[in-house]
Amino acid sequence: MNPVNYLFLAALLFTIGASGVLLRRNAIVVFMSVELMLNAANLALVTFSRMHGNLDGQIIAFFTMVVAAAEVVVGLAIIVTIFRSRHSASVDDASLMKL
Amino acid sequence: METLIGLLVAAPLLGAAVLLCGGRRLDRTGHWIGTVLAAASFVLAAVLFADMLGRQGDERALHQHVFSWIPVGGFQADVAFRLDQLSMTFVLLITGVGTLIHVYSIGYMEHDERRRRFFGYLNLFLAAMLLLVLADNYLLLYAGWEGVGLASYLLIGFWQHKPSAATAAKKAFIVNRVGDIGLSIAIMIMFATFGTFAFGPVLESVGETGEGTATAIGLMLLLAACGKSAQVPLQSWLGDAMEGPTPVSALIHAATMVTAGVYLIVRSGAVFEAAPAAQTTVTVVGAVTLLFGAIVGCAKDDIKKALAGSTMSQIGYMVLAAGLGPVGYAFAIMHLVTHGFFKAGLFLGAGSVMHGMNDEVDMRRYGGLRKYMPVTFATFGLGYLAIIGFPGLSGFFSKDKIIEAAFAKGGTEGWILGGAALLGAAVTAFYMTRVMLMTFFGEERWRNAPAPSPEQPDVEPAARGEYSVPHPHESPKSMTIPMIVLAFGSVFAGFLFSWGDAFVHWLEPVTGFEHGHPPVSALTVTAATVVALVLGAGLAWAQYGRKPVPAVAPRGSLLTRAARRDLLQDDFNHVVLVKPGEYLTRGLVYLDHKVVDGAVNGTAAAVGGLSGRTRRLQNGYARSYAVSMFGGAAILVAATLLMRAV
């Protein structure tokens, strides 16, 4: 199968993720959309690795997974804390960072 | 002997320092300290005078270098004194009349709780005035010049609880300041031209600098003289200065300080001789002022203001004479000295009348006072005869000489100046006769004093609160004795000075002298003067002696009403100077508010508005931040691709 199709899939996934980040209010869903975007990027990296015949892309994909795992730990912790204090997981309610 | 000169100034200066710093514990003795130190200065002056008489002509001048005041490179200002015949004349006049007026003030200010301070100021004045006439350079003279201005301000405003006195003091100070600018500019020109401002070098070399510079210096000195001596156009302050206590009017605003301008012109004679244009201006100023003051003097009902107009007029005579050059210098100074005697005497007489009349100054509420105050009447009467130039009294000798010298100027100028001086003599006789008749003769109008006339709201009854009929009485000895001494001076000074031209010979080594040659004989001029005096006095008698004087001022002709308002001098100043000044400041304030403040406030508002808009971007919604991130990333990618493609 033509590897370019994987790139299209990656672009599609990234677009879905980006739309989810911009349009959804629930922090958990936004978070999952961010994961989707990360994995779309991973897919693109692995595909390019395969197309160009070197392993750099796969190595970066591993790094991305490690960073994503760490990010999930910190991010979920924050979301849980916010939910506990405000009884809501809506990102629009937590609009404290303004003048 | 030279070392004594500094002591002349030091004695009253010490008195001022002690009295002004001494505090209340000197309240009982303060006036004696002040008087004794003034008298000490007079005794010193007499010793120096005797010493000076022992030498001849050019050797009479003494110099004393006290210390270097400001030695900076080429700028050498010294505190140095020069005592020559001219300064000696002034020193004797200042300390002599000054001492008499100190004595008079002991009685006059007896009931004033601030008497100690009054004597402190008087001593300060004496010190500054002596510094002015003894200085050997223009900068030190300037220091004295400012000193007398300060003393004058303090003394005019001595009764500062009266708003009119406080205003008059400020007015005198500000108008004097205009003249002072002239003196300071003259000193600057001198320094720029000659590199020095000592009398000797400046007056010797001024003839070689060219007429332009000399004219500039001369006109600036004239401006200074106009301010200090109340000459047109800076004369407006003198009438208001009468708000001060009467001894002050006698000492400062009649006998000494206001003659400082004449001293300055005579002392700087060489400057004016090198600048004929400036000299002519001096004579014109003198002639105009002598008529101006005389006309104002005719219309005033306030006895002190009438005398103030007269002072202005008499100083006009002196300035006129000083502008005539060596022909007139000696006579200007001679008139100055005789005027010092009779005008101080007249003012002290006026003070004595006010003292007996509950401080009333309106002559329309006097009348018939001669039998209540015989000494005042006699001394005032002698002063009166002296000022109108009654033959044989001192005013006659000095004024007649000035009129002669004015005619001797020659040509049309001579006729105009001489005619003005002659006319002035007639008007002088008129207004002084008027003062005399209204005060000492006629019916006793003070017995049923009417309410103040609405025509002249400035003539306030000084009797506080309700009207009470005054009880005229003669003043105490401390007041009458100085008046008697001054009356002697008024009678005999002119005769003594003219005996063998003694005064002219005395001043000749300093000021030089030329005999004037009037187009008509001197005898004719004298006869004309006497006729003018008889005419003026007769006219006054016809108006104020033969008919009863109305207790409320009649409306009067247009000229009378203008003269009552100082010939519209204040209105003129108001329209020409005060109003444009107000408009200028209003314009500047408008400019400040609208343009300067506007620029600053506008910038601030613009920055504030911009920040307000920018702040909206920071709305706290995570999703909108994400949009900007995506947007930014998209733009970056698009830009990169675009650059690739190109």
Side-chain angles (χ1 to χ4, degrees):
Chain A
M1 202 161 76
N2 189 356
V4 176
N5 290 335
Y6 291 102
L7 289 181
F8 285 127
L9 178 63
L12 187 67
L13 285 174
F14 188 89
T15 310
I16 293 168
S19 315
V21 168
L22 294 182
L23 298 177
R24 298 305 296 264
R25 290 205 177 86
N26 192 318
I28 300 292
V29 179
V30 170
F31 210 67
M32 290 193 315
S33 304
V34 169
E35 290 302 313
L36 206 54
M37 284 157 69
L38 280 169
N39 284 313
N42 272 349
L43 183 58
L45 284 168
V46 172
T47 311
F48 282 127
S49 174
R50 166 93 186 175
M51 281 164 72
H52 296 296
N54 67 16
L55 294 174
D56 292 356
Q58 295 188 26
I59 291 168
I60 294 176
F62 278 118
F63 274 104
T64 313
M65 279 180 218
V66 173
V67 171
E71 178 237 321
V72 165
V73 172
V74 176
L76 276 178
I78 292 172
I79 289 169
V80 168
T81 316
I82 288 178
F83 184 78
R84 275 195 191 148
S85 64
R86 310 177 74 87
H87 301 289
S88 151
S90 168
V91 284
D92 285 359
D93 285 350
S95 62
L96 299 172
M97 297 283 277
K98 66 175 177 186
L99 280 167
Chain B
M1 270 298 152
E2 285 89 351
T3 45
L4 289 182
I5 302 174
L7 287 180
L8 279 175
V9 182
L13 196 61
L14 174 74
V18 167
L19 290 177
L20 293 178
C21 304
R24 289 187 182 284
R25 71 194 77 124
L26 291 177
D27 272 354
R28 285 169 178 221
T29 51
H31 48 285
W32 291 113
I33 297 176
T35 311
V36 164
L37 283 168
S41 200
F42 177 64
V43 170
L44 269 176
V47 169
L48 284 164
F49 179 60
D51 175 62
M52 186 179 271
L53 285 179
R55 290 190 304 274
Q56 279 309 312
D58 292 337
E59 293 160 22
R60 280 180 166 165
L62 288 178
H63 294 267
Q64 186 197 7
H65 182 273
V66 185
F67 59 88
S68 283
W69 183 13
I70 314 172
V72 186
F75 186 92
Q76 293 292 331
D78 293 334
V79 172
F81 296 127
R82 161 197 290 230
L83 185 70
D84 55 16
Q85 288 88 330
L86 182 59
S87 330
M88 193 73 235
T89 312
F90 270 89
V91 167
L92 285 174
L93 176 74
I94 295 162
T95 54
V97 175
T99 307
L100 288 177
I101 287 174
H102 273 75
V103 174
Y104 179 91
S105 308
I106 294 175
Y108 191 83
M109 301 296 282
E110 195 173 2
H111 304 297
D112 197 299
E113 55 186 18
R114 293 161 75 229
R115 178 163 66 165
R116 169 183 57 81
R117 189 182 300 232
F118 181 79
F119 276 83
Y121 292 159
L122 274 188
N123 272 6
L124 179 68
F125 167 75
L126 280 188
M129 189 71 202
L130 288 169
L131 187 66
L132 196 165
V133 296
L134 285 170
D136 195 21
N137 59 61
Y138 281 99
L139 199 67
L140 194 60
L141 181 147
Y142 188 69
W145 192 269
E146 294 296 308
V148 292
L150 168 69
S152 162
Y153 165 78
L154 291 171
L155 286 166
I156 295 170
F158 187 70
W159 288 321
Q160 67 224 162
H161 53 82
K162 284 197 293 183
S164 57
T167 316
K170 279 188 279 182
K171 186 174 178 185
F173 198 74
I174 291 167
V175 177
N176 264 295
R177 188 102 332 227
V178 177
D180 295 347
I181 289 171
L183 184 54
S184 60
I185 292 177
I187 293 174
M188 289 174 208
I189 301 177
M190 280 174 203
F191 187 72
T193 317
F194 309 111
T196 175
F197 28 65
F199 285 151
V202 169
L203 297 178
E204 271 164 32
S205 47
V206 72
E208 298 143 23
T209 52
E211 210 180 308
T213 318
T215 309
I217 298 177
L219 288 178
M220 285 298 120
L221 290 176
L222 175 63
L223 180 65
C226 282
K228 198 57 90 193
S229 294
Q231 300 293 294
V232 173
L234 297 178
Q235 82 289 21
S236 63
W237 63 273
L238 189 61
D240 294 290
M242 296 301 126
E243 287 290 341
T246 308
V248 172
S249 310
L251 176 61
I252 301 186
H253 305 117
T256 55
M257 185 193 84
V258 285
T259 57
V262 181
Y263 170 78
L264 185 68
I265 296 175
V266 172
R267 176 60 86 192
S268 317
V271 175
F272 289 95
E273 280 153 38
Q279 212 171 22
T280 312
T281 318
V282 174
T283 56
V284 170
V285 165
V288 169
T289 312
L290 81 86
L291 289 176
F292 188 104
I295 293 170
V296 170
C298 288
K300 290 285 181 186
D301 287 334
D302 179 330
I303 185 168
K304 284 179 75 184
K305 290 196 173 167
L307 290 177
S310 155
T311 302
M312 214 185 275
S313 163
Q314 299 301 314
I315 296 170
Y317 273 106
M318 298 168 208
V319 170
L320 168 64
L324 293 171
V327 184
Y329 292 146
F331 300 130
I333 301 300
M334 184 165 139
H335 194 53
L336 193 156
V337 175
T338 57
H339 175 257
F341 283 122
F342 58 67
K343 187 51 69 61
L346 287 171
F347 263 112
L348 295 190
S352 172
V353 170
M354 285 159 59
H355 195 72
M357 294 289 288
N358 293 351
D359 286 336
E360 175 65 82
V361 292
D362 188 352
M363 291 191 291
R364 292 190 185 274
R365 301 200 195 104
Y366 291 169
L369 292 177
R370 66 183 182 283
K371 53 184 171 222
Y372 300 98
M373 309 178 177
V375 180
T376 307
F377 169 64
T379 53
F380 197 94
L382 288 173
Y384 154 74
L385 290 176
I387 191 175
I388 64 171
F390 191 80
L393 274 76
S394 60
F396 168 73
F397 291 102
S398 49
K399 197 187 287 180
D400 184 50
K401 289 287 182 194
I402 291 178
I403 297 174
E404 259 176 51
F407 275 116
K409 173 97 174 165
T412 332
E413 267 179 76
W415 284 105
I416 294 173
L417 295 176
L422 207 54
L423 182 61
V427 185
T428 306
F430 177 83
Y431 67 71
M432 283 314 298
T433 310
R434 174 176 177 269
V435 169
M436 197 69 195
L437 289 175
M438 284 175 85
T439 307
F440 292 105
F441 294 89
E443 55 186 271
E444 297 169 355
R445 292 183 299 277
W446 39 270
R447 285 206 184 277
N448 38 10
S453 62
E455 271 282 294
Q456 284 165 295
D458 57 322
V459 183
E460 285 291 333
R464 324 261 177 271
E466 74 283 0
Y467 265 81
S468 58
V469 175
H471 303 283
H473 55 85
E474 189 55 90
S475 302
K477 282 235 162 35
S478 64
M479 288 168 70
T480 51
I481 289 172
M483 284 152 58
I484 294 169
V485 175
L486 287 170
F488 268 99
S490 321
V491 174
F492 297 114
F495 179 69
L496 282 178
F497 290 165
S498 301
W499 183 262
D501 285 339
F503 198 76
V504 172
H505 291 311
W506 161 255
L507 278 184
E508 198 175 347
V510 185
T511 59
F513 180 67
E514 292 168 14
H515 268 289
H517 300 288
V520 288
S521 75
L523 208 62
T524 322
V525 175
T526 309
T529 315
V530 174
V531 169
L533 126 75
V534 170
L535 272 180
L539 204 64
W541 182 77
Q543 196 174 343
Y544 297 98
R546 228 162 35 133
K547 298 183 282 193
V549 179
V552 175
R555 198 168 145 75
S557 67
L558 203 63
L559 180 65
T560 314
R561 271 177 287 152
R564 275 185 197 143
R565 293 176 65 96
D566 298 310
L567 286 182
L568 305 181
Q569 164 68 22
D570 287 338
D571 306 75
F572 177 81
N573 282 352
H574 194 73
V575 172
V576 175
L577 300 169
V578 177
K579 276 286 162 195
E582 272 178 18
Y583 288 132
L584 182 68
T585 47
R586 259 184 232 161
L588 286 176
V589 167
Y590 181 82
L591 209 68
D592 189 40
H593 279 177
K594 295 292 165 184
V595 177
V596 178
D597 287 7
V600 173
N601 290 342
T603 313
V607 172
L610 201 67
S611 334
R613 299 273 150 71
T614 321
R615 200 180 61 171
R616 303 250 175 89
L617 295 175
Q618 197 86 345
N619 55 9
Y621 292 118
R623 294 184 303 142
S624 78
Y625 298 163
V627 170
S628 16
M629 270 171 71
F630 280 120
I635 289 168
L636 273 179
V637 170
T640 314
L641 290 178
L642 202 66
M643 293 311 286
R644 279 260 176 94
V646 177

